[in-house]
Amino acid sequence: MAKFVLIGSGLAGGLLAAYLGRRGYDVDLYERRADPREGNIVDGRSINLAISTRGIHALEQIGLAHEALQHAIPMRGRMIHPAGVGARTIFSPYDVDPKKCINSIGRAALNTTVIEAAQRYSNVHVHFNHKCTDVDLDTATAHLVHTGAPVAAGVSPANPEDQIIRARGDAVIGVDGAFSAVRQSMQMHIDNFQYDESYLAHGYKELTIPPAADGSWRMEKNALHIWPRKSFMMIALPNPDGSFTCTLFWQFEGPRSFATTKSDEDIRRFFENEFPDAVPIMPTLLEDFRQNPTGSLVTIRCAPWSYRDKVCLLGDAAHAVVPFYGQGMNAAFEDCVVLDECLEKFPENRESAFAEYFSRRKENADALADLAIGNFIEMRDKTASKTFRAKKKLDHLLEAALPGIYLPLYTMVTFTRIPYAAAAKRARAQDLLVYTSLIVISAILIGVAVWFAAR
Ligand SMILES: Cc1cc2nc3c(=O)[nH]c(=O)nc-3n(C[C@H](O)[C@H](O)[C@H](O)COP(=O)(O)OP(=O)(O)OC[C@H]3O[C@@H](n4cnc5c(N)ncnc54)[C@H](O)[C@@H]3O)c2cc1C
């Protein structure tokens, strides 16, 4: 059986290792960080995230959904916190079917679940503290630095001398995230490799709402909370321990921005003006704001995603998207399913398998990148408007009246496995039909009213 060298045991790396292990391949998985089970998650990208149909399907295919979702918290809709002191929250369900929900899940726990699933296959070996620096594409060899055994806080490194390691396989798969070293090697060595990265002017910072004294949630538990403020927003997702993880998405620069809000006084004034209902339940706001890093939000598009039968990219390494559709991980998990199907279809021809995987995924990854940016505007600005909420109600009415025929875009992206590009196309056609019908109906009503008035 062929041997795969995987770089990165994040969410997609662990799951892919399990899929490849099940198919009988030898897998060596190298991760630059320490084992997450030792509590060493550093530069983790978010404490919790939303998993929906595509991600759950990928877990189901390998028998992991039940285990992974046992502590997940269903979120049935958006709880909107309008601006202004005393403004009442408004709940907007995600779907006409109240059973359809997205699920808040802890990143570290999910990461551990997929890594342990991979390790149940004796042909899968996971190596932590190994950082890939370069890949020799022609020989499918990853160059790695072994940074020594994990060191507990406050203890000097036991083994300060890093070792250089070469890991050779039949193929190397880069599952090493948005700033992928494998992709960088492809960029350097493949002629005409297309690469595009674009950053939002907004960054993000995570903050905490701790549990109440009795361990319960201080806001509605089964909802994704949003404080839309037109050019920026805060969201909060529930955790199993009764807390919420809030994420503030705000401009890096500008008159009111991360750059200009430094003193305790500035921070407190900003939050009291913008999120007055949240401040009393955020006792560690000032410490969180000062101590937690401000992350950037990048979209990465590249092509091709593979080199002969030797190297391939998957997940954020191939297509990082901004997080506003809650689909980056879901899409990365869907990649695992598709790559597995392609390897099954071409068991003796990995180059064809990689090529088919790319052709099935690329246009969908590009479509998702656009949808994710569009949804930022929807979340931070439109969710606060009555027109938007009326459109959502109309969407749900049409979905109920025309089951299987009319599907709102959010439903297609989140609660089905319709390819992203097809979902976006179908939503455009549906919108055109709905708006044209509304214009025609309005014109008829006005015509009738004028006719009656003229009699
Ligand atoms: C704030 C925020 C919120 C998000 N919320 C959601 C959400 O609600 N739902 C959703 O579906 N998605 C969400 N996402 C997106 C999601 O986090 C990513 O799409 C997902 O983590 C991609 O998985 P991955 O395995 O491809 O990459 P990653 O999870 O980034 O894993 C990459 C792994 O590779 C390792 N690595 C990197 N470089 C090297 C190297 N040189 N050598 C060895 N190892 C290396 C890293 O340490 C890491 O373990 C969110 C993202 C952000 C930033």
Side-chain angles (χ1 to χ4, degrees):
M1 260 305 203
K3 176 176 169 181
F4 282 89
V5 170
L6 266 53
I7 306 298
S9 76
L11 298 174
L15 187 65
L16 181 65
Y19 269 93
L20 296 176
R22 183 176 66 172
R23 212 160 265 296
Y25 295 112
D26 286 324
V27 178
D28 270 312
L29 173 55
Y30 292 93
E31 164 60 45
R32 71 172 173 199
R33 294 182 306 195
D35 189 334
R37 287 159 293 194
E38 288 158 12
N40 286 324
I41 289 249
V42 281
D43 68 11
R45 302 232 258 118
S46 59
I47 287 167
N48 53 22
L49 20 71
I51 187 165
S52 48
T53 297
R54 295 165 202 268
I56 295 170
H57 173 258
L59 293 170
E60 274 166 359
Q61 295 307 296
I62 197 144
L64 276 184
H66 177 70
E67 183 182 340
L69 289 170
Q70 58 186 329
H71 300 300
I73 299 179
M75 298 182 289
R76 305 193 194 290
R78 297 161 165 162
M79 185 66 79
I80 295 151
H81 298 243
V85 179
R88 290 184 56 186
T89 53
I90 303 157
F91 182 70
S92 169
Y94 281 128
D95 195 82
V96 65
D97 176 355
K99 287 202 284 300
K100 286 198 180 134
C101 54
I102 60 176
N103 302 277
S104 175
I105 192 164
R107 185 183 285 267
L110 182 58
N111 206 170
T112 300
T113 302
V114 290
I115 291 171
E116 286 180 348
Q119 286 178 319
R120 281 179 211 138
Y121 296 95
S122 58
N123 43 328
V124 175
H125 304 279
V126 185
H127 314 268
F128 294 102
N129 301 300
H130 283 76
K131 180 179 176 179
C132 175
T133 52
D134 187 24
V135 175
D136 182 335
L137 305 186
D138 288 306
T139 62
T141 305
H143 301 179
L144 301 133
V145 178
H146 180 204
T147 51
V151 179
V155 177
S156 304
N159 176 15
E161 289 187 14
D162 293 340
Q163 288 171 276
I164 308 295
I165 287 175
R166 296 194 197 299
R168 183 169 182 163
D170 294 296
V172 173
I173 304 195
V175 216
D176 49 345
F179 304 100
S180 165
V182 180
R183 189 186 63 229
Q184 270 171 30
S185 294
M186 291 172 73
Q187 250 179 292
M188 278 191 289
H189 300 295
I190 299 177
D191 287 341
N192 301 322
F193 186 83
Q194 292 164 35
Y195 180 72
D196 180 64
E197 66 176 23
S198 61
Y199 285 87
L200 289 189
H202 294 68
Y204 71 93
K205 191 182 280 291
E206 294 199 329
L207 306 160
T208 309
I209 294 177
D214 63 358
S216 62
W217 289 264
R218 292 176 191 241
M219 304 187 293
E220 166 58 46
K221 170 190 169 189
N222 296 114
L224 187 151
H225 293 258
I226 311 183
W227 289 258
R229 297 295 181 262
K230 292 201 180 290
S231 65
F232 61 93
M233 68 172 177
M234 184 164 82
I235 64 169
L237 272 69
N239 296 311
D241 67 357
S243 66
F244 285 85
T245 302
C246 305
T247 312
L248 171 66
F249 296 96
W250 199 19
Q251 287 93 337
F252 276 112
E253 305 285 339
R256 286 174 89 219
S257 64
F258 282 118
T260 55
T261 307
K262 295 281 182 215
S263 71
D264 287 358
E265 177 59 25
D266 292 343
I267 299 167
R268 200 176 291 113
R269 192 177 328 115
F270 169 67
F271 275 82
E272 277 168 0
N273 284 339
E274 299 296 344
F275 314 115
D277 60 333
V279 173
I281 51 176
M282 298 175 87
T284 55
L285 170 63
L286 295 177
E287 293 94 298
D288 289 349
F289 195 92
R290 274 197 307 265
Q291 282 164 17
N292 295 349
T294 310
S296 56
L297 297 163
V298 67
T299 301
I300 287 172
R301 300 172 202 251
C302 68
W305 291 355
S306 63
Y307 175 74
R308 300 187 185 153
D309 64 345
K310 300 289 182 204
V311 183
C312 189
L313 299 173
L314 187 141
D316 276 16
H319 51 75
V321 297
V322 293
F324 304 108
Y325 232 111
Q327 284 294 315
M329 168 199 53
N330 286 284
F333 278 13
E334 203 169 47
D335 285 352
C336 296
V337 176
V338 174
L339 181 57
D340 184 59
E341 287 169 1
C342 294
L343 289 167
E344 182 177 34
K345 182 169 171 190
F346 299 101
E348 304 302 330
N349 188 342
R350 219 172 25 250
E351 187 165 357
S352 297
F354 288 168
E356 175 145 333
Y357 153 74
F358 175 69
S359 79
R360 282 177 61 183
R361 296 303 288 160
K362 173 63 175 160
E363 68 161 344
N364 292 309
D366 286 344
L368 175 59
D370 295 337
L371 288 170
I373 289 176
N375 215 41
F376 184 30
I377 300 164
E378 176 166 322
M379 286 175 84
R380 70 174 202 228
D381 186 0
K382 295 188 187 161
T383 49
S385 89
K386 285 194 178 132
T387 319
F388 172 82
R389 291 199 294 275
K391 164 78 169 65
K392 283 278 155 202
K393 281 191 183 139
L394 178 64
D395 268 349
H396 293 171
L397 274 175
L398 290 170
E399 189 186 358
L402 306 166
I405 298 171
Y406 185 91
L407 283 173
L409 177 60
Y410 189 87
T411 298
M412 286 191 274
V413 169
T414 310
F415 301 124
T416 77
R417 293 189 296 117
I418 296 171
Y420 294 115
K425 195 172 163 198
R426 182 166 162 182
R428 282 193 296 274
Q430 289 179 168
D431 279 351
L432 188 66
L433 199 67
V434 169
Y435 290 130
T436 311
S437 311
L438 285 176
I439 289 169
V440 171
I441 291 166
S442 308
I444 291 170
L445 289 176
I446 291 168
V448 170
V450 169
W451 183 77
F452 269 111
R455 284 180 71 199

